[in-house]
Amino acid sequence: RKMATIDDRLNDICGQAGVPPVALLMFWPCVVHFMYALVWVKPGVFFPSSAPMARVWHFRNMAYSKQVWFYGLLPWYLGTVAAARLSEPYYWRIFGQMLAQPPHLLAIGLAMAGLGVFLEIASFNAIGEAAILYGCKFGVEIEWVDSKFPYTWTNHPQHIGVALVYGSLFFFGSDMLSEMGTLVMWWFFLYGFQTVVEGYLAQDEHEALKAKAKKK
């Protein structure tokens, strides 16, 4: 009964707001990515009175909260798309959806997700959490790194890793291609937009780090 209440309440929210389930599912990730762009261009708006590393931790909490939101609501979303998922415990629905796929699609999805997680871990290992979480924008001492894998072959390995993880959803939803494809496209758009912002706007901090690295 408790798990059914979660579905009922989220359905009520969508009904009262007059929005489709996917809009509620992607609401907070969209807000967070808007904040990414705003902070990148105008870092002074984000906890300006806090110490540099404290600002990084605030940013980290915001960044990770979108994952909690998305994966916390994903079981509900799956239940709105596939009635079979409603008969499963809330916490099991994601796994139930994955295991319902043909073996070859499940294998492709797991391989994509595994490679994506590997690239994300490698990215954090190469430059550190503070660097990935906009530390240069908050006044944290950051070292420019382009000689460590995976930054030896791309400037945005972490974004590629995330794209692979979310892209795997397509293979975990062969019985709901339209709905899963919509989620994948949402995430691709958000990270594509973020990549453009980080690559072409407000580059002063990056240029300073590059110049400092060349002097060593």
Side-chain angles (χ1 to χ4, degrees):
R1 180 55 187 169
K2 180 180 180 181
M3 296 307 173
T5 300
I6 294 175
D7 293 303
D8 293 342
R9 289 182 177 178
L10 292 173
N11 288 334
D12 287 345
I13 291 173
C14 285
Q16 294 170 7
V19 298
V22 68
L24 179 59
L25 179 63
M26 295 305 299
F27 168 73
W28 187 245
C30 287
V31 171
V32 170
H33 277 263
F34 169 78
M35 289 299 299
Y36 285 171
L38 178 63
V39 171
W40 184 265
V41 177
K42 298 288 185 181
V45 304
F46 193 78
F47 291 94
S49 60
S50 297
M53 281 305 299
R55 299 176 73 189
V56 170
W57 303 145
H58 291 315
F59 190 84
R60 176 191 61 181
N61 293 338
M62 179 183 71
Y64 295 162
S65 71
K66 73 181 181 189
Q67 309 293 352
V68 175
W69 176 284
F70 179 77
Y71 287 106
L73 268 61
L74 185 57
W76 158 72
Y77 179 75
L78 293 175
T80 68
V81 176
R85 301 282 78 82
L86 289 174
S87 62
E88 299 171 339
Y90 191 88
Y91 63 84
W92 181 253
R93 291 178 192 173
I94 295 176
F95 301 104
Q97 178 62 33
M98 293 169 61
L99 295 174
Q101 305 311 303
H104 68 287
L105 294 182
L106 176 61
I108 293 173
L110 289 174
M112 284 184 63
L115 178 58
V117 171
F118 169 74
L119 283 175
E120 290 191 67
I121 293 174
S123 300
F124 276 84
N125 183 64
I127 65 175
E129 187 177 41
I132 286 180
L133 296 174
Y134 290 12
C136 66
K137 293 290 182 176
F138 299 135
V140 177
E141 187 69 22
I142 300 295
E143 181 180 357
W144 182 262
V145 175
D146 56 12
S147 59
K148 293 182 180 180
F149 178 83
Y151 289 90
T152 50
W153 63 279
T154 177
N155 290 330
H156 298 283
Q158 194 256 341
H159 289 182
I160 295 174
V162 171
L164 286 170
V165 171
Y166 286 118
S168 69
L169 294 175
F170 191 79
F171 296 93
F172 296 144
S174 64
D175 53 339
M176 50 178 77
L177 290 179
S178 176
E179 292 81 6
M180 281 301 197
T182 299
L183 294 185
V184 172
M185 289 302 103
W186 267 101
W187 282 111
F188 280 10
F189 169 76
L190 291 177
Y191 275 97
F193 176 70
Q194 183 184 346
T195 300
V196 171
V197 169
E198 293 178 11
Y200 296 98
L201 301 180
Q203 295 295 299
D204 291 350
E205 293 86 359
H206 271 187
E207 293 303 324
L209 289 174
K210 289 179 184 179
K212 184 177 180 180
K214 288 180 179 180
K215 293 179 180 179
K216 292 185 177 181

